[in-house]
Amino acid sequence: MAIDDRTAAVPAEDPAATTPAEATPARAASPEATSPEATSPEAAPAPTSTGSTWSALRPLFLRVHFYAGLLIAPLLLIAATSGLLYALSFQAERILYGHELRVPVGDTVLPLSQQVDAARRAHPDGTVTAVWPSPEDGATTRVLMSSPAVEEGKSLAVFVDPYTAEVRGDLPSYGSSGALPLRTWLSEFHADLRLGELGRHYSEMAASWMWVVALGGLALWIGRRRATRRALFLPERGLTSRRRTLSWHGSVGLWAVTGLVILSATGLTWSRYAGENIDVLQTRLGGATPTVSATLDGAAGADAGHEGHGSGHHTAPAPTGPDIGIDQAVEAARGAGVAGRIAVTLPAEGTGYVVKETDTQYPVHLDSVAIDPADGAVIDELRFADYPLLAKLTRFGIDAHMGVLFGLVNQLLLAALMVGLIALVVWGYRMWWLRRPTKERRLSAGRPVARGAWRKAPVTLLLPLAAVTALVGWFVPMLGISLLAFLAVDVVLGRVAMARTRRAARGASAR
């Protein structure tokens, strides 16, 4: 994407470099050289101490921003559309699965053990792995089971009326947020287009590039000349055609850039290649997410996964020793300060109960304890306040990406961000279309930013930039590999264009 900005430092022979690009993650247009707007005078440039540095780097930013937006925008459009549907699915589930999720409020809440027994009677072939007690008046209790009725990696959620122990229904459930079939399907489509490991490359590619085009566009938008400061934050009035689209693209991108960078960073934590590097780096920096240990004295192995983002169930053999029962285990957890909205993981061979808070509303309540099933003693406890700072930030970022950090507010913000991203992509392609060399040729397209932008940057800037790019490309492999592919294709196209020019020149001289 690009901005109609005339800068004296940019050589006149590079028409595509006479305008900076916009500030958003999905643009694909470049500066306009043939539109009437391109000839209109611009406001006087604001003085800046870094003007010479920016003038040297700006053509390179333009070219990278143009091609990144042009080629990655389709992936961003898919991610934004599926992400919008996912953000809306929380409220859709409340409507679609209202019978399972809500019940009339009764006088007395029955013991959890009775509710679990009702679920077992309804599904004798399942093994209870966890229980989510009713979090509020009128909400059902979820009894999670490992069952042959659901695919691997998911649980069978049995919904029980906490006042009558009536089983209201059952549905497959996935993840720590308890996604039901609608949200699970949309989540998987958003993550991998429901193509498995192959499809994960799409989302990793989108996440790898989104922060690049967002921050690059931000620099180009801020560096653009404008008559008033208001035009930086809000669309300008009175503009037409491409410049009006550009104004909307840049100003909306400015407001969206922070959220888009956060989504890009948190999305990479789930990715296959960059995600592994992030995990290693986080561990080395001492920011790994801690877990509460539910291992009993003398038992082999360790409890894992209770603080993760999976379904939180296991299929290890049930304990054979004494068991105080789920009701007393919950009471013991409450005595240790773990109460409110909770999830209870039942003991397996060699482990105890794990009771953890699941309230992600502000202020968050995410403490957890492990309870000895023999006597109700606290084996281990983990307070969210004791998490390393990096682990806290990671948790907040992932929960925000999932739409569960602040509930409905989080989901509405996600939806608005996705609508903004879709608009940015559409505006970017529209600007590219409006830059056609001959507007009467309806199938023509906008010209790309001219080659040779890197030659305009001094070596003192180019070498550090190349070193940083190589380091980032190694850490985020899909970014690095695709960038090398872009460069290779660009070199080939440049050679072909050069050969054509030489043949044309020889033909003209022969005539």
Side-chain angles (χ1 to χ4, degrees), residues 26-335:
R27 13 272 190 327
S30 60
E32 183 169 21
T34 59
S35 170
E37 295 100 315
T39 62
S40 63
E42 292 283 1
T48 170
S49 60
T50 59
S52 59
T53 300
W54 174 241
S55 297
L57 290 178
R58 180 172 158 275
L60 185 60
F61 274 56
L62 275 170
R63 188 160 178 81
V64 172
H65 188 68
F66 170 78
Y67 277 113
L70 179 65
L71 301 173
I72 302 301
L75 302 182
L76 295 176
L77 186 60
I78 295 172
T81 303
S82 58
L84 172 61
L85 295 175
Y86 173 81
L88 300 176
S89 68
F90 287 85
Q91 302 307 312
E93 280 192 339
R94 294 173 65 90
I95 299 172
L96 186 61
Y97 306 119
H99 178 75
E100 289 83 2
L101 296 173
R102 307 298 301 180
V103 293
V105 178
D107 296 329
T108 305
V109 175
L110 297 175
L112 279 176
S113 56
Q114 293 187 28
Q115 301 177 50
V116 173
D117 287 343
R120 284 195 175 109
R121 288 193 298 270
H123 294 275
D125 57 340
T127 301
V128 178
T129 57
V131 179
W132 296 8
S134 170
E136 59 188 10
D137 292 343
T140 55
T141 293
R142 294 195 195 190
V143 179
L144 301 182
M145 293 183 167
S146 60
S147 170
V150 295
E151 58 185 287
E152 185 178 359
K154 295 182 173 64
S155 298
L156 181 67
V158 182
F159 299 86
V160 182
D161 186 329
Y163 308 104
T164 66
E166 174 195 359
V167 173
R168 302 279 292 183
D170 57 81
L171 294 166
S173 175
Y174 176 72
S176 59
S177 66
L180 298 179
L182 174 63
R183 185 152 55 94
T184 298
W185 193 96
L186 291 172
S187 175
E188 292 173 348
F189 184 78
H190 177 69
D192 58 18
L193 303 179
R194 295 185 61 83
L195 296 176
E197 288 299 317
L198 177 63
R200 290 181 65 188
H201 292 116
Y202 121 80
S203 57
E204 183 164 359
M205 181 76 78
S208 297
W209 276 98
M210 186 160 68
W211 67 274
V212 175
V213 289
L215 294 179
L218 175 65
L220 291 166
W221 179 249
I222 291 177
R224 176 180 180 247
R225 301 180 181 190
R226 51 183 52 83
T228 64
R229 185 177 296 275
R230 176 187 181 280
L232 175 67
F233 301 98
L234 298 172
E236 294 184 73
R237 301 187 183 96
L239 299 180
T240 59
S241 188
R242 180 181 175 275
R243 295 191 60 160
R244 179 175 59 188
T245 304
L246 173 69
S247 181
W248 277 94
H249 181 92
S251 56
V252 170
L254 179 70
W255 288 101
V257 64
T258 301
L260 294 171
V261 171
I262 292 174
L263 286 181
S264 176
T266 52
L268 286 175
T269 63
W270 279 302
S271 65
R272 179 177 180 181
Y273 302 108
E276 293 178 358
N277 292 334
I278 292 172
D279 287 342
V280 171
L281 178 63
Q282 187 173 350
T283 300
R284 290 181 177 177
L285 293 176
T289 301
T291 59
V292 64
S293 174
T295 304
L296 301 175
D297 290 339
D303 177 65
H306 298 300
E307 296 296 328
H309 303 285
S311 59
H313 75 267
H314 50 72
T315 56
T320 56
D323 188 344
I324 59 174
I326 188 172
D327 295 296
Q328 291 190 46
V330 169
E331 285 301 318
R334 286 175 178 162

Side-chain angles (χ1 to χ4, degrees), residues 311-366:
S311 59
H313 75 267
H314 50 72
T315 56
T320 56
D323 188 344
I324 59 174
I326 188 172
D327 295 296
Q328 291 190 46
V330 169
E331 285 301 318
R334 286 175 178 162
V338 176
R341 185 185 292 265
I342 61 173
V344 184
T345 301
L346 270 60
E349 187 66 37
T351 67
Y353 288 94
V354 174
V355 183
K356 59 181 180 180
E357 295 174 332
T358 60
D359 184 7
T360 55
Q361 302 289 315
Y362 181 82
V364 298
H365 297 95
L366 299 172

